[in-house]
Amino acid sequence: MRRRKDSYSLGSQETKGDEPSGTRGVSRRSFLTNVATAGIAATASPLLRAAPHTIELPQAPAVSNPAGTVPVELKINGQIHQLQIESRVTLLDALRENLGLFGTKKGCDHGQCGACTVHVNGRRINSCLTFAVMHQQDEITTIEGLAKDGQLHPMQAAFLEHDGFQCGYCTSGQIMSAVALLKEPCEANDNAIRECMSGNICRCGAYENIVAAVRSLRGRA
């Protein structure tokens, strides 16, 4: 029995000793470990290469010309203003929303009340009915541009003297129309003044005082 056991042991040692040198010392555990390591490396390699692109946040480009806008240059009350606005923006909205000139009022927004009246090249227009882009070479005057060197325009002073306003919402448009009227072919009588001022509505009903203010300057014009 001992000899047989020894013979078995000897045979085992001989078999082990006859294995190729390349597989000597490789166990099942080490083989599986090597396979798992190689699999992880193969899977993680493309992720590691892509990591800088996924982690880096893209820089938003500076938008100087938003889509759908055009550069517009307006000369208002003697000052040049550079705007980047949509071509459909009205002169009224450009004055109020882009330049902060709130003296020009938005009333009906349909050219019926006259609250948005301004002067373009000396003539009165409803600024809600025209596009800002159409007036790049024009001289535009708003209610803010009437006073000179801290002195009110005579028509502004006349409206104060004759109490030609109540709530005041329509007053800037009324004054702008009245100033333009002084240079228009309009007769001096009150009915002619009412006709020439008929495009400006006063919902408070201060028409008599408005006519009186205009009349007081017609004799001096």
Side-chain angles (χ1 to χ4, degrees):
M1 294 297 292
R2 184 186 300 252
R3 188 170 15 187
R4 187 174 182 181
K5 183 176 181 180
D6 292 341
S7 177
Y8 180 82
S9 300
L10 180 61
S12 299
Q13 292 174 0
E14 291 174 354
T15 303
K16 185 176 180 181
D18 294 337
E19 289 180 342
S21 59
T23 60
R24 184 177 300 171
V26 179
S27 64
R28 181 173 180 273
R29 177 177 296 178
S30 62
F31 174 77
L32 294 177
T33 301
N34 291 337
V35 171
T37 303
I40 293 173
T43 303
S45 179
L47 296 178
L48 292 175
R49 288 195 299 268
H53 300 287
T54 56
I55 294 175
E56 183 180 357
L57 297 177
Q59 296 295 326
V63 179
S64 58
N65 297 324
T69 64
V70 295
V72 176
E73 180 179 287
L74 298 177
K75 186 176 182 181
I76 302 170
N77 301 329
Q79 296 184 352
I80 300 295
H81 299 271
Q82 303 286 346
L83 303 177
Q84 189 74 31
I85 57 178
E86 293 183 352
S87 58
R88 61 183 178 176
V89 172
T90 64
L91 180 58
L92 171 61
D93 286 338
L95 293 172
R96 292 179 57 84
E97 306 301 329
N98 296 94
L99 298 175
L101 297 173
F102 300 115
T104 304
K105 304 301 184 183
K106 178 179 283 195
C108 65
D109 212 22
H110 288 82
Q112 298 175 350
C113 71
C116 67
T117 303
V118 299
H119 295 173
V120 175
N121 298 328
R123 299 183 62 183
R124 52 175 164 164
I125 68 166
N126 292 322
S127 59
C128 72
L129 296 183
T130 186
F131 297 122
V133 71
M134 299 168 59
H135 299 285
Q136 297 196 78
Q137 305 299 324
D138 295 333
E139 295 277 349
I140 302 170
T141 305
T142 69
I143 189 69
E144 291 89 349
L146 286 185
K148 302 296 182 183
D149 301 323
Q151 297 295 320
L152 292 177
H153 186 280
M155 187 62 74
Q156 291 175 302
F159 265 69
L160 288 173
E161 179 183 353
H162 293 274
D163 198 18
F165 54 90
Q166 289 188 36
C167 77
Y169 195 86
C170 74
T171 304
S172 59
Q174 299 276 1
I175 292 175
M176 295 302 290
S177 283
V179 171
L181 181 150
L182 296 178
K183 300 178 181 180
E184 295 174 355
C186 180
E187 296 181 11
N189 60 75
D190 287 359
N191 286 335
I193 293 175
R194 292 189 181 95
E195 178 64 26
C196 292
M197 292 290 294
S198 61
N200 292 80
I201 297 175
C202 174
R203 292 177 173 85
C204 299
Y207 293 114
E208 290 300 322
N209 294 348
I210 292 172
V211 171
V214 176
R215 184 197 314 121
S216 69
L217 287 187
R218 287 301 297 275
R220 303 181 235 165

